[in-house]
């Protein structure tokens, strides 16, 4: 029996890809770095420092005095400024329905995100009250595909990993969940990779998983 569901945030419950792209693109332009929307997709589910490493690997030349911390800090400052005006328009249309029905069925709800801005995003979206546990990048020592984020969320939910379902849209997140011994549900492209226990065509499909309490 699945006692709790742990959701990734971006790409599952809400969509902030465009905001991330705008922020990364602006900072990359400042450094004359190449960066496309396709490149932005490669950054899903990984930490900010790992994002910088990925971006640097895309470049033919990096300045000798390049400071990765300054680069990442500039990006985050711009991203946070873009977050100030977000609202329900960034939510998946089924997010509130799914969270409310899981809550009514007594199923624990967790959030496992590598983003250090997860709490701000959840608050701005107005869905904070649905979560029994939130773990974000501010408390992690390792990012996905390490299972740390999901293991910590399970601990806060008071359940063992095998009794939790992780819902993810990114390969790194699914790999993290598998490494931690969680059951997995994939949404989007990752659902078609043959890695997950359950394939979700839409977010509300999670409510129909037979192992969830009615």
């Amino acid at each position: 029996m699945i006692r709790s569901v742990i959701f990734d945030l971006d790409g599952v419950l809400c969509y902030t890809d465009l905001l991330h792209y705008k922020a990364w693109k602006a900072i990359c332009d400042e450094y004359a770095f190449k960066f496309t929307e396709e490149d932005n997709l490669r950054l899903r589910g990984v930490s900010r420092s790992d994002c910088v490493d990925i971006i640097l690997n895309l470049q033919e030349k990096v300045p000798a005095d390049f400071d990765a911390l300054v680069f990442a800090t500039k990006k985050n400052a711009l991203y946070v400024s873009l977050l100030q005006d977000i609202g329900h328009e960034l939510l998946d249309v089924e997010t509130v329905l799914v969270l409310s029905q899981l809550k009514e069925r007594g199923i624990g709800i967790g959030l496992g995100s590598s983003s250090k801005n997860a709490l701000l995003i959840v608050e701005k979206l107005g869905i904070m009250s649905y979560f029994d546990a939130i773990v974000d990048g501010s408390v992690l020592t390792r990012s996905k595909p390490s299972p740390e984020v999901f293991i910590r969320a399970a601990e806060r939910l008071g359940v063992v990993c095998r009794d939790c379902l992780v819902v993810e849209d990114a390969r790194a997140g699914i790999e993290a969940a598998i490494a931690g011994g969680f059951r997995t549900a994939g949404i989007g492209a990752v659902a078609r990779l043959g890695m997950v226990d359950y394939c979700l065509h839409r977010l509300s499909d999670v409510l129909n998983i037979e192992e969830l309490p009615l």
Side-chain angles (χ1 to χ4, degrees):
M1 184 71 71
I2 296 171
R3 298 174 56 196
S4 297
V5 180
I6 302 173
F7 293 94
D8 178 43
L9 183 59
D10 290 344
V12 175
L13 299 178
C14 68
Y15 304 99
T16 61
D17 277 356
L18 181 59
L19 301 184
H20 278 293
Y21 173 68
K22 286 182 177 179
W24 281 123
K25 177 62 174 172
I27 302 305
C28 283
D29 285 349
E30 181 180 329
Y31 283 74
F33 285 169
K34 178 180 75 72
F35 189 73
T36 67
E37 291 187 64
E38 184 177 345
D39 296 331
N40 190 59
L41 296 177
R42 299 176 61 180
L43 308 184
R44 280 184 171 181
V46 300
S47 69
R48 196 179 307 151
S49 60
D50 287 343
C51 286
V52 175
D53 289 340
I54 291 171
I55 290 171
L56 292 182
N57 286 332
L58 295 171
Q59 311 310 316
E60 294 181 2
K61 184 177 181 181
V62 177
D65 60 350
F66 178 82
D67 189 317
L69 180 58
V70 170
F71 184 79
T73 300
K74 285 183 176 182
K75 182 270 175 179
N76 189 58
L78 180 53
Y79 177 63
V80 170
S81 71
L82 294 173
L83 288 176
Q84 301 310 310
D85 297 323
I86 68 170
H88 283 82
E89 72 280 355
L90 291 188
L91 283 174
D92 184 282
V93 294
E94 297 184 333
T95 293
V96 173
L97 167 70
V98 170
L99 295 179
S100 61
Q101 289 202 16
L102 290 176
K103 183 69 73 175
E104 289 174 6
R105 288 157 65 173
I107 299 167
I109 302 174
L111 183 74
S113 173
S114 297
S115 172
K116 293 182 179 180
N117 297 302
L119 284 175
L120 172 61
I121 295 170
V122 168
E123 182 179 355
K124 288 285 186 180
L125 295 176
I127 56 175
M128 181 77 76
S129 63
Y130 291 105
F131 294 100
D132 302 299
I134 294 178
V135 177
D136 67 2
S138 65
V139 298
L140 299 176
T141 60
R142 298 177 302 279
S143 63
K144 303 170 187 176
S146 163
E148 180 185 359
V149 62
F150 298 131
I151 291 173
R152 284 181 177 239
E155 289 172 348
R156 294 186 184 185
L157 288 165
V159 294
V160 295
C161 298
R162 67 176 176 273
D163 291 340
C164 289
L165 175 72
V166 169
V167 183
E168 264 280 0
D169 75 312
R171 186 184 186 108
I174 294 297
E175 290 175 346
I178 292 172
F182 294 85
R183 279 175 273 192
T184 58
I187 191 167
V190 75
R192 300 187 291 273
L193 297 180
M195 302 171 61
V196 299
D197 297 308
Y198 306 98
C199 297
L200 308 180
H201 299 291
R202 53 194 294 177
L203 187 60
S204 61
D205 287 344
V206 73
L207 298 172
N208 300 322
I209 292 175
E210 292 182 355
E211 292 182 88
L212 283 171
L214 295 176

